[in-house]
Amino acid sequence: MNALAGVGVSPGVGFGPGYVLSREVPVPDPEARHGGDAEAERDRAARALERVAADLEERGARAGGQAQEILKAQALMARDPGLAVGVAGLIDAGASAARAVYDGFGGYREMIVGAGGYLGERAADLDDVRDRVVALLEGLPAPGLPDAGARPYVLLARDLAPADTAALSREVVAAFVTEQGGPTSHTAILARAMGVPAVVACPGAASVVAGTEVLVDGFSGLVRLDPSQEEVETVTRAAAARQAVLAAATGPGATSDGHAVPLLANVGGPRDVEGALRNGAEGVGLYRTEFLFLDRTAPPTEEEQVAAYLGVLDAFPGRRVVVRTLDAGADKPLAFLPPPGREPNPALGQRGLRLFQRYPEIMETQLRALARAGLRSSAKLQVMAPMVATRQEAAWYVAACKEAGLTSAGVMIEIPSAALRAGDLAAEVDFFSIGTNDLAQYTLAADREVGGLGALHDPWQPALLDLVLVAVNGAAERGRACGVCGEAAGDPALACVLVGMGVTSLSMAPTALPAVRAALSLHSQEQCVLAAQAALAASCPPDARAAARAHLPELAGLAL
């Protein structure tokens, strides 16, 4: 077999010798005991946890951007007070520091894997912290990337931890391929932000023989092993031609016949602005403010929030910036709020707007900060609520926004009830933004972080497309704008379909903007409408994709 297939999550082509990353740190002996000095052993464990936390923070500071926020969150895992208490208790019972750390993390891992959703996704992050601490205590090399070779290598792994991904650069790594992960994993998000070609969900990647020459196409998801020179040249030429076409598509998003479709960026804070501007973002369609809250033991002050919001608003003078207010709680717990109690299914628990209703002071402070930032900037500030299920919730949120002095308030459509009753919600709000990731999760009853359910999260699922159309029509009936800010917006073919369905703007990872801009510029609005009709008439994702592409012939030239 000379080829593997996965999911391309970061565009580009990489070629080089394969390096198989082994993250295996030996499991400490279950019977390992300390020498009797429990106090010294507790101190040794505490120092190791703090050293790993400090190292993660330092790596994040060097990387910047979303990597810094993610690694700060990992550092908090190592500094969790509950973990420290658990480890100390195990040491007092006689366990060695390494075994106590391993078992202490194990309890947390079982809890978050069972929770699924955002917490479930953090299992790999937790394992990475655990392995780093155990390695330090056992005097072993820390798991991580090899040093740079004579030429960039292709990194092959079962999975990558954020701390590893944050260190990737094109100077050292030509591309990476993992067996696990998905388009919304931290690994994929960081790869796109750093411009390293990447393929995930690729069976067999970790079994490739070290040193094998590997050619990775981050566009198609195809991985070729020991390719011929002709294959390398063919793929490289195609990539160069594709990049030339993408570079030629400049200016505001629009179809070939001039139908305007604003192309916006998804960002996590001021550090992501540079990439958004570099890729021609016309504004921000999703500012994820949870990064301000998730890695703290106390909520950010109003002044801190104003500064963070201005860091994005001021980068887009006169242009649209849509801020999603705090989407946390339940499966994204906040350390400074008491837990809501046991929730068998956190994805259906106290999160998003429901958290605001329980702790209105958190929302009031955030809305005041946004209003203040809006007054100091020329950007067109809009705010939207996450996880809205009913018209009453939408009305409550909009009233709170108006009271704070915010003039444009909308809601995310990511719960089926909101899509089905979009006409009712549109009577209360100024705009919609469809979050296709969560909408797929709730529509198909499939946790987005469970790899075995990946097929149900295909954004071409007919039921998902049906709900998007219902929401778009509900917004149109009331004269409301309806954008899409989920991963679906970054798929060039699906972007054309969404435009054909009546979506008024698209927001995506900054690196996806050039391909979507090019795809739209090469097709008319009528072609997009025909592609949408064909996709909606199909009964399964492959058929929907193929039917749509039949009306989008220029995609072939882009090799998308």
Side-chain angles (χ1 to χ4, degrees), residues 328-424:
D331 61 346
K332 289 183 278 186
L334 299 174
F336 53 82
L337 292 180
R342 184 175 181 275
E343 292 185 331
N345 192 335
L348 305 180
Q350 296 285 345
R351 62 169 292 195
L353 190 68
R354 298 167 188 174
L355 184 76
F356 275 164
Q357 292 173 324
R358 189 175 182 186
Y359 300 102
E361 67 278 6
I362 301 293
M363 180 183 70
E364 290 165 4
T365 301
Q366 184 172 31
L367 295 183
R368 280 198 309 270
L370 283 164
R372 289 176 55 195
L375 288 174
R376 291 170 54 182
S377 172
S378 66
K380 298 176 181 177
L381 172 63
Q382 296 182 295
V383 297
M384 61 182 180
M387 301 302 293
V388 172
T390 68
R391 178 174 182 167
Q392 291 72 29
E393 289 178 345
W396 178 82
Y397 178 78
V398 170
C401 290
K402 303 299 183 186
E403 184 176 351
L406 294 160
T407 58
S408 181
V411 297
M412 295 281 291
I413 302 293
E414 48 196 343
I415 297 176
S417 64
L420 291 169
R421 303 296 298 190
D424 287 346

Side-chain angles (χ1 to χ4, degrees), residues 68-69 72-73 76 290-297 334-335:
Q68 183 171 18
E69 302 299 333
K72 282 173 65 179
L76 276 181
E290 56 264 30
F291 287 114
L292 286 169
F293 294 79
L294 288 177
D295 59 350
R296 305 175 64 106
T297 55
L334 299 174

Side-chain angles (χ1 to χ4, degrees), residues 19-32:
Y19 179 91
V20 181
L21 177 66
S22 174
R23 298 192 51 79
E24 294 298 325
V25 172
V27 176
D29 183 349
E31 303 303 320

Side-chain angles (χ1 to χ4, degrees), residues 82-232:
L83 173 68
V85 169
V87 169
L90 291 168
I91 291 174
D92 287 342
S96 69
R99 186 66 205 186
V101 165
Y102 187 88
D103 287 341
F105 273 95
Y108 273 64
R109 190 183 199 285
E110 182 178 344
M111 177 186 71
I112 67 173
V113 168
Y118 181 89
L119 279 180
E121 182 185 349
R122 303 286 74 76
D125 302 5
L126 194 70
D127 290 347
D128 177 55
V129 178
R130 176 200 65 198
D131 290 347
R132 290 175 185 276
V133 177
V134 169
L136 182 60
L137 288 167
E138 299 280 53
L140 301 170
L145 300 173
D147 295 330
R151 64 189 178 103
Y153 55 82
V154 172
L155 186 62
L156 303 151
R158 181 170 175 78
D159 201 358
L160 282 173
D164 293 332
T165 314
L168 298 180
S169 71
R170 290 302 298 265
E171 290 73 33
V172 176
V173 179
F176 74 77
V177 186
T178 65
E179 291 190 353
Q180 298 181 352
T184 60
S185 67
H186 276 163
T187 299
I189 291 170
L190 292 178
R192 287 192 289 269
M194 296 173 186
V196 177
V199 173
V200 301
C202 184
S207 300
V208 174
V209 176
T212 300
E213 293 291 314
V214 182
L215 178 63
V216 179
D217 188 342
F219 290 93
S220 67
L222 191 62
V223 178
R224 295 173 173 83
L225 308 180
D226 281 327
S228 66
Q229 185 61 34
E230 181 180 359
E231 284 181 298
V232 174

Side-chain angles (χ1 to χ4, degrees), residues 59-87:
R59 288 169 180 260
R62 290 198 302 267
Q66 288 187 340
Q68 183 171 18
E69 302 299 333
I70 292 170
L71 294 185
K72 282 173 65 179
Q74 267 197 296
L76 276 181
M77 293 178 179
R79 291 181 173 134
D80 185 274
L83 173 68
V85 169
V87 169

